[in-house]
Structure formats: C-alpha cells, structure tokens
Amino acid sequence: MQIMLSGDRPTGPLHIGHYVGSLKNRVALQNNHHSFLLIADAQALTDNMADPDKVCRNIREVALDYLAVGIDPTKSAMCVQSCLPALADIAMLYLNLVSVARLERNPTVKDEIRLRGLARDIPAGFLCYPVAQAADITAFKATVIPVGQDQIPMIEQTNEIVRRVNRQAGVSCLPEATGLLSATSRLPGVDGQRKMGKSQNNAIPLSASPATIHEAVQRLYTDAGHIRISDPGQVEGNAVFAYLDAFDEDKDALEELKVHYRRGGLADKDLKQRLETLLQKLIEPIRERRLALARDPSFVWDVLQEGTKKAHTITQTTAEDIRSALGLFRFATARRP
Amino acid sequence: MQIMLSGDRPTGPLHIGHYVGSLKNRVALQNNHHSFLLIADAQALTDNMADPDKVCRNIREVALDYLAVGIDPTKSAMCVQSCLPALADIAMLYLNLVSVARLERNPTVKDEIRLRGLARDIPAGFLCYPVAQAADITAFKATVIPVGQDQIPMIEQTNEIVRRVNRQAGVSCLPEATGLLSATSRLPGVDGQRKMGKSQNNAIPLSASPATIHEAVQRLYTDAGHIRISDPGQVEGNAVFAYLDAFDEDKDALEELKVHYRRGGLADKDLKQRLETLLQKLIEPIRERRLALARDPSFVWDVLQEGTKKAHTITQTTAEDIRSALGLFRFATARRP
C-alpha cells in the first residue's frame, strides 16, 4: 500500500468545493492507501499570525468535517501539524537546500503574492512555505498527494528536494511524490469568483443548513445575458452548470439540459431547483453526522490524539533517517565513546 | 543572575581571535551569569550542507577548545544546537513575524552575501539565519550576548521579534537582549586579511604547536614600506601591532615600542619575537589541557550530554511559553474535553 498525505489549513469550515475536489477522493482512497490527514495549523499561521484564535478553533471543525464526510479514523490518521516537531526540524534543514531565487520562482508563491498584493513585504514564512510543505510530504514518506492543478509546483519543489537529499546521501532515502489530480477541478464561488474560498463568504459549507443551501443556490451566478426564459443561454462560465457538472451524476440528462439551455426555453430557476435538490441530498447526511459528532468532543479529541501520536512516531523516524543519510551527527542518539 | 548565551559554529578549530575577542570574556563572565554555550551545528549547515562531516567532527573540537581555555562545565552548560528541537520550532514560528524585505536589509546578511558573491542564489536558510539566531537567543531567555561589532544587527533583529511577540501576547513573555562588545574587536588574519577565519588558513588555532605558532608569527604582515630597520614604520594596519594590542598586557612598554617603530630603528623581527613569546606563553597551557582532555572522550561526551539536557528543558519550556502567550493552541498539552 502506498502512503497518501493530504490535509487542510484550519482557517474556516470545509465546503462543497473541498468535497468534490478532494474529500470524496480521500474517502475512496483510504481503503487502499496508508492515509494521513494533516491539519496544517502551523502553515495556517504563515498568514494568520494576527488571528491565531481562528486557526486554533478550526482544528476541531476541520476534524469534524473529515469525520462527517466519511473519513474513517481507523484508516486515515488525522494529525495536528504543530504537534509534530520533526516537521519544523526537517523544514529548517531543507531551507539550506533551496535557494531564495528558486522559492521566488515558485508559481504558487508568485500567484499568492500577487493576489494578496504583498510584494517583498511577505512574511519570510510565506516565502518558505513550499519548503515546509516538502518537509510535511517527505516526513510521512508519502508518494500519493491528492492536489489541485495549482498545487503541482509544490510537488515539483518537493521532488527537487528529494532528489537533492538522495543524491547527497548516495542512497534512496526519500521517495518522490506524485500529485493525484481530482476529476473536478476547482469549483467557482457562489458569487461567480474563480474559486470557492474558506474565508471569502462565497462558499457552501459542509455544515450548511437547508436555508443556507437554498439562499446560496439562489445567489448563484448564471448567464447575465439570459434575460428571458426563451433567450439562448450560455453554459460556459455559468456557475450553475459548473456545479451540476460536479454534482449531477446523471450525465445524459445533464447533457440534454445544456442543449436545451443553449437553445433557449430553459429557466434558470428550474436549473437551480435541480441543483438545490442535489446539494440538499448530498449535505443532509453530512450535516446530521457532523451534529451528532459535535455532541461528543472527547471522541474527536481522541481521534486527533491517536492520529497525532502515530504521525509523531513516523515523522521522528524519518527525521532521523534523513540526518543519518546526509551524514549529520545526531548527538542525542550517539553512543558514549 | 542574568542569562548569557554565546556559542560558535563548529566549522573549524577555535583560534586566538576567538580567545581574545570572546572566549576570555566568557570564562570571566561564567562566574556571575547563568551561562550557556551553544555549539551551532544546525546553523553551520546553512552554508556547509555539502560537507556535513566537517560540521559533525568539529562539535567535539569546539567543546575541547572551550574546556581547554577554562570554560567550567559546572558553570557554563555546553549544548548541541541540532539536539534542541525547540529551536527549529520557535524559528519556524518567528519566520511568520519577519518580512523578506527586513531580512534582506540585515547588514550582516548583506555583507555575507556580498563577501561570498552569492546574490539571490543564497540558500533560503542563509537568508533566514537572523531569525534562527533570534530563536536561539530567546529560547534561552538570554539577556546578555557577547558579540563582535558586526553581530549587533542580529541583536536588533532579535529584539524586534521580542517586541512583536510581547505586543501580540500583551505581556512581557520574552526579555530583550543586550550585546556585550568585547574590548578587542576582530583580530586580522596572519595573511593581513581583515579577519582571522576558522576556515581561511590565516588563523592561529588554540591547539597550535610551538612550531606552528612560530611560523604563523613569521608569516605575519607588518608594514610593507618598512624595508630597512632604520626606516620609519607604520603602526596602523600593521598586524603585529594589532596582535600586540590584543595580547600584550604591558601597555606602557607597548606604547614605547610604537613610538620607536614610527621613528625608525626597531626591527620587525624584534617585535615578532616579543609577540611570539607572548603567544607561546598563552597557548602552551591551553594546548596541554586540550591534549589531556582529548585523551578522555567520554568526559567531553558527558559534558555535552548534560549541557544539552539542561538546555533542552529550558528551550522546550520557552517554546510552550511563547505558544501560550501568543494564544496558539497546543494540542499536545490540551486537556481532554
């Protein structure tokens, strides 16, 4: 069985974009992978240092989301990043293997810097986060990483470091990782924004009430040129169709709807009704399980404790493996002469 | 008693420049300070990743140098940086508090980048090392740091982080540090280079044999314009006088020698003879103690183990203090709900 690592930054409730883009996959993959879910609170701090409360609070919320969608803690170890000292240890070591110029060329970092208008005022931790992610991935010796298209450069950065370590070690100490792209790429926000975001008030959370789901679907952007029902409508760039593509499993019926919509005569409200029914049906059991789980905080705590303990052992061992492969003295484990 | 932190990168044997610029001070200060000596192997890797052996080997050598000059392990805890996971933990946290622009403005980093001709190809770990140093200093809650003039910007960077942490914490969680400048600033190399360097083959190591000391003093740069003994000689920029300033305690006699040299009629070889006598006398007992200690490797090992253990407890406690002051959740120590 291969080792799979995935995870989320605990900065807000997970939403249906996470579900279709990644969580659904993880639930399926946990059956034939050694699976680890890293709740990346330390990484979340790279740009939430002014609001650590938010990060702390959401550790439990993300764990609840995982359990509610069907992550099975006996198959997937859920662990808290800040409780795994080996990750910082390995990250500090890797910082010596990557140049500042290389980090600045990382497309994901470049994009984020541009999006946030940060320029050189970015926190150093933010510039260095591809290295921290490489530390996370390699600490688990993970080979399968479910990712979005925009995360592929992170996998490349990781594998560069892996090759650098293995070259210096003269043995294959660390495995290279492969990004596993999900069938559905990113879901647009209900406001028509390119991406549904945890903290952008344009998401449908997995804990959404029926009324919230209804309102969100009503808010959903369709085709601004589709004024009268009889007008021909546009499918591309139409968020309702993007969502139907992601959630409607009756692909033939969906194809017919697209043809009909393009021709004219299909009302937005009928499409939205169809989508709402699908989403209500998807979210209801998740919401109910989540409510039930939230009533038993010790269970969630135990799940996190146990997963973190398991992850601790593995990541500490890897840190020692790396040090020893690189020929670094480890005084703590050296024999008395 | 205040807490004093000092240390060295284990990249080569310590030399008489270290002795006069710092070690002598540390031996005196250990009597009225809680003293810690950090053997900074992790930091040495920021620019020695290709030669970890050198770093590993020199941990013991530096410890021997410390003991040989009179560091008393019952007064000064000697510890190995890579065995203190709290340091990486705190450093990764601080990276979120310092901007890339701020690190690039650090004069010490700028100087080193220029000296090594590295530009943007510097390892990220090298750009970030002022942050790692701030982690070291604050992890011990050290308030007194014996430094050279060129290290003052590091103390400033540390205190900026201290203030940032305390401001966010709303309490004085960390103390500010003060750099303690030694009376003798940097000693030039025997080759006339600006600085005596561990790895630049221009140093007189504390373990130097009588013959090595003799050769080094012979090699020493004086005044290139001082051709005949009767010529007036220059004292400024003359390495022999720089050394005499550092090691000759008979200041009146030294003043007379300078007057005589400037006037003309004082031979370089007489000055060098005087200097060699002083250095042979200084180094002999150090070399002898060092040889005796080297015969008992378990003693050195025990000293390092014990010091590292003490440092581990203190730095772990500080890491928890910082997390708790910043309101960061520490799952590992949280109570089961």
Side-chain angles (χ1 to χ4, degrees):
Chain A
M1 289 223 280
Q2 297 211 65
I3 299 173
M4 177 173 81
L5 178 72
S6 60
D8 292 277
R9 295 155 44 105
T11 53
L14 300 186
H15 52 62
I16 59 167
H18 294 111
Y19 181 77
V20 78
S22 160
L23 293 172
K24 206 174 138 188
N25 249 342
R26 299 188 212 170
V27 172
L29 291 164
Q30 68 183 341
N31 295 311
N32 52 357
H33 288 78
H34 286 296
S35 166
F36 292 91
L37 292 172
L38 185 66
I39 302 184
D41 59 337
Q43 195 203 303
L45 286 175
T46 58
D47 53 350
N48 285 282
M49 201 61 195
D51 191 1
D53 255 11
K54 183 176 79 178
V55 175
C56 300
R57 211 171 47 238
N58 277 296
I59 293 175
R60 183 174 162 273
E61 299 303 316
V62 168
L64 280 173
D65 286 330
Y66 286 164
L67 294 167
V69 298
I71 295 290
D72 176 349
T74 66
K75 295 175 178 168
S76 300
M78 293 182 202
C79 50
V80 180
Q81 191 182 34
S82 66
C83 301
L84 302 171
L87 303 183
D89 193 24
I90 298 172
M92 288 297 285
L93 199 60
Y94 287 175
L95 282 178
N96 302 328
L97 301 176
V98 179
S99 74
V100 172
R102 175 64 183 87
L103 287 175
E104 288 173 337
R105 278 198 308 272
N106 184 304
T108 317
V109 172
K110 262 165 107 173
D111 261 22
E112 293 277 345
I113 290 173
R114 196 177 38 75
L115 275 171
R116 297 160 192 240
L118 287 168
R120 319 279 324 142
D121 267 337
I122 50 166
F126 193 80
L127 179 70
C128 298
Y129 96 86
V131 175
Q133 241 175 34
D136 297 343
I137 292 172
T138 55
F140 288 89
K141 299 198 175 174
T143 51
V144 177
I145 320 291
V147 286
Q149 184 65 48
D150 55 331
Q151 293 290 308
I152 291 292
M154 297 310 217
I155 307 285
E156 283 165 11
Q157 174 72 81
T158 300
N159 287 339
E160 275 180 37
I161 293 174
V162 164
R163 288 189 291 269
R164 173 72 174 72
V165 169
N166 289 344
R167 197 166 59 239
Q168 177 156 345
V171 291
S172 180
C173 165
L174 298 172
E176 292 197 33
T178 309
L180 192 72
L181 284 169
S182 116
T184 301
S185 57
R186 57 169 46 152
L187 212 56
V190 297
D191 56 357
Q193 286 293 310
R194 196 168 64 108
K195 190 181 174 184
M196 185 174 281
K198 274 198 216 80
S199 20
Q200 278 155 59
N201 196 30
N202 68 356
I204 305 177
L206 291 169
S207 54
S209 69
T212 305
I213 298 169
H214 177 76
E215 279 158 36
V217 173
Q218 290 310 311
R219 247 178 97 194
L220 210 57
Y221 177 89
T222 56
D223 168 14
H226 190 237
I227 313 282
R228 278 174 307 248
I229 295 175
S230 55
D231 289 343
Q234 188 137 16
V235 168
E236 287 68 31
N238 184 323
V240 178
F241 277 108
Y243 283 41
L244 285 170
D245 277 335
F247 296 102
D248 200 333
E249 281 171 21
D250 188 345
K251 298 301 171 199
D252 292 338
L254 181 54
E255 215 34 62
E256 275 177 42
L257 286 174
K258 287 182 181 173
V259 171
H260 191 172
Y261 193 76
R262 286 198 180 99
R263 190 172 65 224
L266 180 53
D268 282 354
K269 83 164 168 32
D270 291 338
L271 283 176
K272 288 191 169 181
Q273 184 51 57
R274 183 181 179 96
L275 176 63
E276 190 188 327
T277 306
L278 289 168
L279 292 181
Q280 296 285 11
K281 208 176 127 204
L282 172 75
I283 293 174
E284 189 192 357
I286 297 176
R287 184 180 57 233
E288 297 308 315
R289 267 199 302 275
R290 204 181 187 291
L291 277 169
L293 287 158
R295 274 183 225 112
D296 186 2
S298 344
F299 174 72
V300 180
W301 193 88
D302 288 344
V303 161
L304 287 173
Q305 278 289 4
E306 202 158 315
T308 301
K309 210 169 125 191
K310 188 175 169 192
H312 184 72
T313 307
I314 290 171
T315 54
Q316 287 293 130
T317 304
T318 305
E320 293 303 330
D321 286 353
I322 295 172
R323 289 197 166 268
S324 133
L326 289 179
L328 305 178
F329 181 68
R330 194 56 156 173
F331 189 78
T333 55
R335 267 233 322 276
R336 186 169 188 262
Chain B
M1 287 224 281
Q2 298 211 64
I3 299 172
M4 176 173 82
L5 178 71
S6 60
D8 291 278
R9 297 156 41 107
T11 52
L14 300 185
H15 53 62
I16 59 167
H18 295 111
Y19 181 78
V20 77
S22 160
L23 293 171
K24 203 173 139 190
N25 248 340
R26 300 188 211 170
V27 172
L29 290 164
Q30 67 184 341
N31 295 312
N32 52 357
H33 288 78
H34 285 296
S35 167
F36 292 90
L37 292 173
L38 185 65
I39 302 185
D41 58 338
Q43 196 203 302
L45 287 175
T46 58
D47 54 349
N48 285 282
M49 201 62 196
D51 192 1
D53 254 11
K54 182 176 79 178
V55 174
C56 299
R57 210 171 47 237
N58 278 295
I59 293 174
R60 182 174 162 274
E61 298 304 315
V62 168
L64 280 173
D65 285 330
Y66 286 163
L67 293 167
V69 297
I71 295 290
D72 176 348
T74 67
K75 294 175 179 169
S76 300
M78 293 183 201
C79 49
V80 180
Q81 192 182 34
S82 67
C83 301
L84 303 171
L87 303 182
D89 193 24
I90 298 173
M92 287 297 285
L93 199 61
Y94 287 174
L95 282 178
N96 303 326
L97 301 176
V98 179
S99 74
V100 172
R102 175 65 182 85
L103 288 174
E104 288 173 338
R105 278 197 307 272
N106 184 304
T108 318
V109 172
K110 262 165 104 172
D111 260 22
E112 293 278 346
I113 289 173
R114 195 178 39 74
L115 275 171
R116 295 159 195 241
L118 285 168
R120 318 281 320 144
D121 267 338
I122 48 165
F126 192 80
L127 179 69
C128 298
Y129 96 85
V131 175
Q133 242 176 33
D136 296 343
I137 292 171
T138 55
F140 288 89
K141 298 198 175 175
T143 52
V144 176
I145 320 291
V147 286
Q149 184 66 45
D150 55 332
Q151 293 291 310
I152 290 291
M154 299 309 219
I155 306 286
E156 282 166 12
Q157 174 72 81
T158 299
N159 287 339
E160 274 180 39
I161 294 175
V162 164
R163 288 189 291 267
R164 172 73 172 75
V165 168
N166 289 344
R167 198 165 58 237
Q168 176 157 343
V171 292
S172 180
C173 166
L174 298 172
E176 293 196 33
T178 309
L180 192 71
L181 284 169
S182 114
T184 301
S185 55
R186 59 171 42 152
L187 212 57
V190 297
D191 56 357
Q193 286 294 309
R194 197 169 62 110
K195 190 181 173 182
M196 185 174 282
K198 276 198 214 78
S199 17
Q200 278 155 58
N201 194 29
N202 68 356
I204 304 177
L206 291 169
S207 53
S209 69
T212 305
I213 298 169
H214 176 76
E215 280 159 36
V217 173
Q218 290 312 310
R219 245 179 97 195
L220 209 57
Y221 177 91
T222 56
D223 169 13
H226 190 237
I227 314 280
R228 279 173 305 248
I229 295 174
S230 56
D231 290 340
Q234 189 138 14
V235 168
E236 287 69 31
N238 184 321
V240 178
F241 277 107
Y243 283 41
L244 285 170
D245 276 333
F247 296 101
D248 199 333
E249 281 171 23
D250 188 345
K251 298 301 170 196
D252 293 337
L254 180 54
E255 214 34 61
E256 274 177 43
L257 286 174
K258 287 180 182 175
V259 171
H260 191 173
Y261 193 76
R262 286 198 181 97
R263 191 176 63 226
L266 178 54
D268 283 353
K269 78 165 171 34
D270 292 337
L271 283 175
K272 288 191 169 181
Q273 185 50 58
R274 183 181 181 96
L275 176 62
E276 190 189 325
T277 307
L278 288 169
L279 291 182
Q280 296 284 11
K281 207 175 128 206
L282 173 74
I283 292 175
E284 189 193 357
I286 298 176
R287 183 179 59 233
E288 297 307 315
R289 266 199 303 275
R290 206 182 184 291
L291 277 170
L293 287 158
R295 274 181 225 114
D296 186 2
S298 345
F299 174 71
V300 180
W301 193 87
D302 289 343
V303 162
L304 287 173
Q305 279 289 5
E306 201 158 317
T308 302
K309 209 167 124 191
K310 187 174 171 194
H312 183 73
T313 307
I314 290 172
T315 54
Q316 288 294 130
T317 305
T318 305
E320 293 303 329
D321 286 354
I322 295 173
R323 290 198 163 267
S324 132
L326 290 178
L328 304 180
F329 181 69
R330 194 56 155 172
F331 190 77
T333 54
R335 265 235 320 277
R336 187 170 188 261

